[in-house]
Amino acid sequence: MKHLQFLVLLLFATLTIHAQSIHINYDNQSLDKILLDLRDEYSIDLSFSDSQVSKYKITIDKDFSSAQKALEFLLLNTSLEIQKFGEVFLIKQKLKIEIKPFVLSVTIVDKKTGERLPYAHLLVNNSLFTSNQNGDFSVKSKDDSLFHVTVNYLGFYPCDTTLAASVNQKLALNPFIYELGEVKISHMQATHKTGEGSMPGNIRLNSFVTNFLPGNGDQSVFDLLRLQPGILAAGEQSSDLLIWGSYEGQSKLMLDGITLFSMKNYNDNISTINPLLVKDLMVSKGGYGIEYNGRVGGIVDITAKDGNKQKLSSFLNINNQTINGVLSVPLFRKQASLLVAVRKTYYELYDQSKITLNLGRNETSIDRTLFPDYNFGDLNVKFSGDLNSTTNYQFNYLLGKDDFTYSLNLDGKQSNFIYEDAEHNLQYGWSAQINHSWQNGMKSQFRISGSMLTKNVNNQQQVGRNIVGYGLYGGSGASPYQVLLNNQIENQIEEFSATFESQAQLGEHHYFKLILGWNQDQTNYVEDSLNYNIQSISNKLNSINFRLNDNWTITKKFNVNAGVIYDLILKYGKSYWQPRINLKYAVLPGFNVGFSFGTYYQQVTQLPQIDDFDHIRYFWLTSDFDKISAQKGVHKVLAFNYRNQGLKLDVNLFQRNTTGLTRFRDYSYQSVTYNGESISEGFDVLLSKTFKSLDFWVSYTYSKTQEHFDYFSSDEFVRALHDQRHELKGALIYHFNKWYFSTNYVYGSGFPDLLSGLTLNDYQRLDIAVNRGFKLKKLNINTGISILNLLNHQNIKYENFYRLEDETGEVTLHAEAVPFTPIIYLNLAF
């Protein structure tokens, strides 16, 4: 019994010793000191590096039931961990296990030609994305290596597929509409792409639609643009785009990164851009992001075709005004292509037509006919290809030239008047670009570009006596004509730029973009009249800009796109911050609300000059931050988009405040500079619907633009010269078998008269067209007829106002816009 009691006491003592707790009490003591104390006091075998543990300071007062629990607690908030080998505790750095996200990087291309498709809309794992201007996009996922991808692109069948994570994939889309071939088309693709994945005020246009709209068969870009809400159509402004109340020169037209300055393009007969080259057409009416800089108005960004890398192809368009040919040649084993396009008027455009001018005094009017001479020609070259699967390049060159002249003879009872006007424009531009996709999904681009426009204007007025026996231009005994006005103006603008752009994905729905840029603008303006120099202005500006943008989809319904531009004008030491933000919220399926706000600066613009006869011309000048101010615009846009079974409804409310406007007025051979500001506000509505054989849209724009300049007699704002309150437009395209029927209509409420301040007559124009395709072996043929201004409504061209004086006083001269004009065209594709 005594032996049993002794054994129980011995077992109890042993258990008590093993259950003895470890007490640790330190105040801000280094971890290495604590570990050494534990080793000595509790006979714990430890192995550690002094340099790894000494950097941690510990404050503790706690009991532990075992050495392992004590050590685990001490290392809880450190980068260390314990590992036990027998009776020895090894303290070491934790192993960092980096879980790399799955990356999908894809380029969207045309399956038939290999063309890259920019700005495609994608739905990837229920999140919206947009490819860049090179057709590239990338996305990351932490959870799954498979991505469900849906792609929509105007003019192409939707693509719905599943892709495995990888980089540098190509996703090919099948086109809906072939430009000429006899293809059975199940239904038309929509003309517009707005709302989804886009910023407020943005429109993506289907360039294929221009094949079927009324026109001259040249598929003019402006024929399509003028039918869009917010873009002025009434007045048939031919040398610029007036968007949401913007002035001439405030909106930017770009082709593959080349800035295009306005050419005469009289009566919209010939587009400044060769329409056969257009691949993608993006319109930003206002409130756009950091991608565009240097304008306070809208943006029209056009991407040209790369050319067919698969086979030799050509296209020829002939109409009763121009001939237009395009040739595409594949190079380097189908890794590159060379695209060449040439246009030329092959006879004087207006030799067999007439332009009616209305000469009015009070309520009376007289019609005069003048016969303008117009010659146009241009050349486009594009060389593009792939260096490898991650890098591609392109080089673009364009050259355009036009000459426009006319003269008008006014026969009075006592005198004869001769009015002569001539304008010559020469535009060239180039750009070079390289794009690279990195293994982590980041996209980078480097681009350099240059552009120049030279404009020469000659404007002359003469008066001579009308006496029996005297010749009109002076014969034997004839009195010589007296020259009243002889203005000669030369204007030149040059622009060079370089940009580096890189976009990285910070998270599954989080993108960051960085752009670094340099820009140089140089202008020269010389004006002489009767051998007297009225004005001579020359200036050059160099600027650098730094742009940042953060695009974050916070929830599936809410997206924030915020950015800022910092501009530094080197010569004058001026700097500008331009914050921009865009918010989008999906209220309900198919119904989205967006808001954009932005500040915009413009240092080079097209300024108006009003002469003694109230004749307006526009010339490019750079700001000197004194007489010619830098323009500042503040945009606010609120947008609503609704989609339901092919029905699209877009509503945009806009407000644009612009300061720093400059206007020249000539008084008795002296030019005086005035400063001003403007306020534009209103809304536009676009309703479109696509059926199997029918595509139509209707748009309405209410726009109010008011201005104030220093020379006004009061402080009140008045209507701007291009202010038109109401504009209603509609277009319809219907196809039956191989026949296409189309029509469009534009109504405008009228502009204020420069002299009287009253509103001019309203604008109305109805156009119709029909065309049909044929196939003859390997030759695709398409022919059609268009009738412009079918009802022959007498419309007035915007800004073509002149005031002349005869022996009875002043007369006002207005140039009539496009009259009733039938056009026949033929397209051939090889």
Side-chain angles (χ1 to χ4, degrees), residues 313-338:
S313 61
S314 61
F315 190 100
L316 181 67
N317 168 263
I318 304 174
N319 57 69
N320 54 335
Q321 295 173 346
T322 63
I323 184 169
N324 187 1
V326 178
L327 177 66
S328 179
V329 181
L331 299 172
F332 309 139
R333 297 181 180 179
K334 300 182 180 182
Q335 293 300 307
S337 65
L338 177 65

mmCIF file of all heavy atoms in Angstrom, residues 313-338:
data_model
loop_
_atom_site.group_PDB
_atom_site.id
_atom_site.type_symbol
_atom_site.label_atom_id
_atom_site.label_comp_id
_atom_site.label_asym_id
_atom_site.label_seq_id
_atom_site.Cartn_x
_atom_site.Cartn_y
_atom_site.Cartn_z
ATOM 1 N N SER A 313 -6.171 43.463 -103.144
ATOM 2 C CA SER A 313 -7.540 43.913 -103.355
ATOM 3 C C SER A 313 -7.542 45.365 -103.796
ATOM 4 O O SER A 313 -6.593 46.120 -103.532
ATOM 5 C CB SER A 313 -8.368 43.751 -102.075
ATOM 6 O OG SER A 313 -7.825 44.526 -101.031
ATOM 7 N N SER A 314 -8.620 45.767 -104.477
ATOM 8 C CA SER A 314 -8.735 47.143 -104.949
ATOM 9 C C SER A 314 -10.199 47.548 -104.984
ATOM 10 O O SER A 314 -11.101 46.698 -105.000
ATOM 11 C CB SER A 314 -8.116 47.294 -106.339
ATOM 12 O OG SER A 314 -8.782 46.467 -107.269
ATOM 13 N N PHE A 315 -10.408 48.856 -105.029
ATOM 14 C CA PHE A 315 -11.764 49.412 -105.027
ATOM 15 C C PHE A 315 -11.737 50.693 -105.847
ATOM 16 O O PHE A 315 -10.822 51.512 -105.707
ATOM 17 C CB PHE A 315 -12.214 49.705 -103.593
ATOM 18 C CG PHE A 315 -13.674 50.060 -103.467
ATOM 19 C CD1 PHE A 315 -14.587 49.109 -103.063
ATOM 20 C CD2 PHE A 315 -14.119 51.337 -103.745
ATOM 21 C CE1 PHE A 315 -15.940 49.428 -102.954
ATOM 22 C CE2 PHE A 315 -15.458 51.668 -103.625
ATOM 23 C CZ PHE A 315 -16.371 50.706 -103.234
ATOM 24 N N LEU A 316 -12.753 50.872 -106.705
ATOM 25 C CA LEU A 316 -12.827 52.055 -107.554
ATOM 26 C C LEU A 316 -14.227 52.638 -107.476
ATOM 27 O O LEU A 316 -15.222 51.926 -107.650
ATOM 28 C CB LEU A 316 -12.495 51.692 -109.008
ATOM 29 C CG LEU A 316 -12.504 52.844 -110.011
ATOM 30 C CD1 LEU A 316 -11.369 53.824 -109.706
ATOM 31 C CD2 LEU A 316 -12.364 52.305 -111.438
ATOM 32 N N ASN A 317 -14.308 53.941 -107.196
ATOM 33 C CA ASN A 317 -15.580 54.658 -107.167
ATOM 34 C C ASN A 317 -15.553 55.750 -108.228
ATOM 35 O O ASN A 317 -14.630 56.565 -108.282
ATOM 36 C CB ASN A 317 -15.830 55.275 -105.793
ATOM 37 C CG ASN A 317 -16.989 56.255 -105.814
ATOM 38 O OD1 ASN A 317 -16.797 57.465 -105.922
ATOM 39 N ND2 ASN A 317 -18.189 55.738 -105.709
ATOM 40 N N ILE A 318 -16.571 55.744 -109.100
ATOM 41 C CA ILE A 318 -16.692 56.764 -110.138
ATOM 42 C C ILE A 318 -18.070 57.391 -110.029
ATOM 43 O O ILE A 318 -19.083 56.679 -109.967
ATOM 44 C CB ILE A 318 -16.513 56.159 -111.545
ATOM 45 C CG1 ILE A 318 -15.172 55.420 -111.649
ATOM 46 C CG2 ILE A 318 -16.617 57.240 -112.615
ATOM 47 C CD1 ILE A 318 -15.006 54.683 -112.970
ATOM 48 N N ASN A 319 -18.126 58.723 -109.977
ATOM 49 C CA ASN A 319 -19.393 59.432 -110.030
ATOM 50 C C ASN A 319 -19.229 60.646 -110.927
ATOM 51 O O ASN A 319 -18.177 60.836 -111.530
ATOM 52 C CB ASN A 319 -19.864 59.802 -108.613
ATOM 53 C CG ASN A 319 -18.845 60.643 -107.866
ATOM 54 O OD1 ASN A 319 -18.603 61.802 -108.213
ATOM 55 N ND2 ASN A 319 -18.223 60.057 -106.837
ATOM 56 N N ASN A 320 -20.269 61.449 -111.032
ATOM 57 C CA ASN A 320 -20.189 62.568 -111.957
ATOM 58 C C ASN A 320 -19.446 63.762 -111.370
ATOM 59 O O ASN A 320 -19.596 64.887 -111.836
ATOM 60 C CB ASN A 320 -21.592 62.988 -112.422
ATOM 61 C CG ASN A 320 -22.516 63.273 -111.248
ATOM 62 O OD1 ASN A 320 -22.326 62.759 -110.158
ATOM 63 N ND2 ASN A 320 -23.537 64.077 -111.484
ATOM 64 N N GLN A 321 -18.598 63.512 -110.372
ATOM 65 C CA GLN A 321 -17.783 64.582 -109.804
ATOM 66 C C GLN A 321 -16.338 64.161 -109.596
ATOM 67 O O GLN A 321 -15.417 64.905 -109.923
ATOM 68 C CB GLN A 321 -18.378 65.052 -108.458
ATOM 69 C CG GLN A 321 -19.732 65.704 -108.604
ATOM 70 C CD GLN A 321 -20.373 65.998 -107.274
ATOM 71 O OE1 GLN A 321 -19.940 65.504 -106.234
ATOM 72 N NE2 GLN A 321 -21.414 66.815 -107.296
ATOM 73 N N THR A 322 -16.134 62.951 -109.054
ATOM 74 C CA THR A 322 -14.776 62.521 -108.713
ATOM 75 C C THR A 322 -14.548 61.071 -109.127
ATOM 76 O O THR A 322 -15.477 60.313 -109.387
ATOM 77 C CB THR A 322 -14.526 62.631 -107.194
ATOM 78 O OG1 THR A 322 -15.416 61.736 -106.515
ATOM 79 C CG2 THR A 322 -14.725 64.038 -106.690
ATOM 80 N N ILE A 323 -13.276 60.722 -109.123
ATOM 81 C CA ILE A 323 -12.869 59.327 -109.244
ATOM 82 C C ILE A 323 -12.006 59.009 -108.034
ATOM 83 O O ILE A 323 -11.152 59.793 -107.634
ATOM 84 C CB ILE A 323 -12.107 59.070 -110.562
ATOM 85 C CG1 ILE A 323 -11.773 57.581 -110.704
ATOM 86 C CG2 ILE A 323 -10.860 59.936 -110.669
ATOM 87 C CD1 ILE A 323 -11.275 57.214 -112.087
ATOM 88 N N ASN A 324 -12.267 57.862 -107.421
ATOM 89 C CA ASN A 324 -11.619 57.510 -106.159
ATOM 90 C C ASN A 324 -11.192 56.046 -106.228
ATOM 91 O O ASN A 324 -12.019 55.159 -106.448
ATOM 92 C CB ASN A 324 -12.586 57.722 -104.990
ATOM 93 C CG ASN A 324 -11.935 57.528 -103.633
ATOM 94 O OD1 ASN A 324 -10.751 57.246 -103.548
ATOM 95 N ND2 ASN A 324 -12.713 57.692 -102.585
ATOM 96 N N GLY A 325 -9.901 55.792 -106.059
ATOM 97 C CA GLY A 325 -9.398 54.437 -106.127
ATOM 98 C C GLY A 325 -8.553 54.072 -104.929
ATOM 99 O O GLY A 325 -7.813 54.904 -104.390
ATOM 100 N N VAL A 326 -8.675 52.806 -104.482
ATOM 101 C CA VAL A 326 -7.916 52.292 -103.337
ATOM 102 C C VAL A 326 -7.278 50.970 -103.732
ATOM 103 O O VAL A 326 -7.941 50.097 -104.309
ATOM 104 C CB VAL A 326 -8.808 52.085 -102.100
ATOM 105 C CG1 VAL A 326 -7.999 51.495 -100.952
ATOM 106 C CG2 VAL A 326 -9.442 53.396 -101.668
ATOM 107 N N LEU A 327 -5.996 50.801 -103.420
ATOM 108 C CA LEU A 327 -5.267 49.558 -103.701
ATOM 109 C C LEU A 327 -4.605 49.078 -102.416
ATOM 110 O O LEU A 327 -3.934 49.854 -101.727
ATOM 111 C CB LEU A 327 -4.208 49.780 -104.778
ATOM 112 C CG LEU A 327 -3.321 48.573 -105.113
ATOM 113 C CD1 LEU A 327 -4.146 47.464 -105.761
ATOM 114 C CD2 LEU A 327 -2.168 48.981 -106.021
ATOM 115 N N SER A 328 -4.795 47.786 -102.087
ATOM 116 C CA SER A 328 -4.201 47.198 -100.894
ATOM 117 C C SER A 328 -3.333 46.010 -101.297
ATOM 118 O O SER A 328 -3.796 45.110 -102.006
ATOM 119 C CB SER A 328 -5.282 46.744 -99.908
ATOM 120 O OG SER A 328 -4.717 46.144 -98.768
ATOM 121 N N VAL A 329 -2.083 46.018 -100.835
ATOM 122 C CA VAL A 329 -1.118 44.985 -101.218
ATOM 123 C C VAL A 329 -0.568 44.316 -99.958
ATOM 124 O O VAL A 329 0.011 44.991 -99.091
ATOM 125 C CB VAL A 329 0.050 45.591 -102.025
ATOM 126 C CG1 VAL A 329 1.021 44.493 -102.443
ATOM 127 C CG2 VAL A 329 -0.467 46.360 -103.231
ATOM 128 N N PRO A 330 -0.709 42.979 -99.800
ATOM 129 C CA PRO A 330 -0.101 42.285 -98.660
ATOM 130 C C PRO A 330 1.409 42.162 -98.850
ATOM 131 O O PRO A 330 1.890 41.961 -99.974
ATOM 132 C CB PRO A 330 -0.779 40.918 -98.665
ATOM 133 C CG PRO A 330 -1.224 40.719 -100.070
ATOM 134 C CD PRO A 330 -1.525 42.077 -100.632
ATOM 135 N N LEU A 331 2.166 42.282 -97.763
ATOM 136 C CA LEU A 331 3.627 42.232 -97.823
ATOM 137 C C LEU A 331 4.180 41.309 -96.742
ATOM 138 O O LEU A 331 3.497 41.011 -95.750
ATOM 139 C CB LEU A 331 4.210 43.637 -97.646
ATOM 140 C CG LEU A 331 3.816 44.704 -98.689
ATOM 141 C CD1 LEU A 331 4.305 46.070 -98.253
ATOM 142 C CD2 LEU A 331 4.366 44.346 -100.058
ATOM 143 N N PHE A 332 5.417 40.895 -96.906
ATOM 144 C CA PHE A 332 6.172 40.150 -95.902
ATOM 145 C C PHE A 332 5.412 38.932 -95.390
ATOM 146 O O PHE A 332 5.185 38.770 -94.198
ATOM 147 C CB PHE A 332 6.558 41.053 -94.725
ATOM 148 C CG PHE A 332 7.231 42.332 -95.127
ATOM 149 C CD1 PHE A 332 6.921 43.513 -94.487
ATOM 150 C CD2 PHE A 332 8.154 42.366 -96.156
ATOM 151 C CE1 PHE A 332 7.528 44.706 -94.847
ATOM 152 C CE2 PHE A 332 8.768 43.543 -96.528
ATOM 153 C CZ PHE A 332 8.451 44.725 -95.874
ATOM 154 N N ARG A 333 4.980 38.085 -96.349
ATOM 155 C CA ARG A 333 4.289 36.840 -96.016
ATOM 156 C C ARG A 333 3.055 37.095 -95.155
ATOM 157 O O ARG A 333 2.817 36.460 -94.134
ATOM 158 C CB ARG A 333 5.238 35.868 -95.312
ATOM 159 C CG ARG A 333 6.422 35.437 -96.184
ATOM 160 C CD ARG A 333 7.311 34.456 -95.442
ATOM 161 N NE ARG A 333 8.432 34.057 -96.301
ATOM 162 C CZ ARG A 333 9.388 33.213 -95.897
ATOM 163 N NH1 ARG A 333 9.324 32.683 -94.676
ATOM 164 N NH2 ARG A 333 10.386 32.898 -96.723
ATOM 165 N N LYS A 334 2.284 38.076 -95.577
ATOM 166 C CA LYS A 334 1.013 38.440 -94.952
ATOM 167 C C LYS A 334 1.171 38.968 -93.526
ATOM 168 O O LYS A 334 0.239 38.902 -92.721
ATOM 169 C CB LYS A 334 0.050 37.251 -94.962
ATOM 170 C CG LYS A 334 -0.280 36.743 -96.355
ATOM 171 C CD LYS A 334 -1.268 35.593 -96.302
ATOM 172 C CE LYS A 334 -1.588 35.098 -97.709
ATOM 173 N NZ LYS A 334 -2.581 33.995 -97.694
ATOM 174 N N GLN A 335 2.341 39.518 -93.238
ATOM 175 C CA GLN A 335 2.570 40.132 -91.936
ATOM 176 C C GLN A 335 2.434 41.656 -91.983
ATOM 177 O O GLN A 335 2.512 42.329 -90.958
ATOM 178 C CB GLN A 335 3.969 39.777 -91.414
ATOM 179 C CG GLN A 335 4.150 38.314 -91.089
ATOM 180 C CD GLN A 335 3.183 37.827 -90.025
ATOM 181 O OE1 GLN A 335 3.078 38.402 -88.948
ATOM 182 N NE2 GLN A 335 2.454 36.756 -90.332
ATOM 183 N N ALA A 336 2.237 42.207 -93.191
ATOM 184 C CA ALA A 336 2.115 43.655 -93.342
ATOM 185 C C ALA A 336 1.270 43.951 -94.574
ATOM 186 O O ALA A 336 0.968 43.052 -95.379
ATOM 187 C CB ALA A 336 3.494 44.314 -93.461
ATOM 188 N N SER A 337 0.886 45.217 -94.718
ATOM 189 C CA SER A 337 0.106 45.622 -95.885
ATOM 190 C C SER A 337 0.439 47.066 -96.233
ATOM 191 O O SER A 337 0.806 47.872 -95.368
ATOM 192 C CB SER A 337 -1.397 45.479 -95.615
ATOM 193 O OG SER A 337 -1.805 46.374 -94.602
ATOM 194 N N LEU A 338 0.296 47.377 -97.506
ATOM 195 C CA LEU A 338 0.466 48.734 -98.016
ATOM 196 C C LEU A 338 -0.852 49.154 -98.648
ATOM 197 O O LEU A 338 -1.363 48.485 -99.545
ATOM 198 C CB LEU A 338 1.591 48.797 -99.054
ATOM 199 C CG LEU A 338 1.815 50.170 -99.711
ATOM 200 C CD1 LEU A 338 2.277 51.189 -98.678
ATOM 201 C CD2 LEU A 338 2.813 50.060 -100.859
#
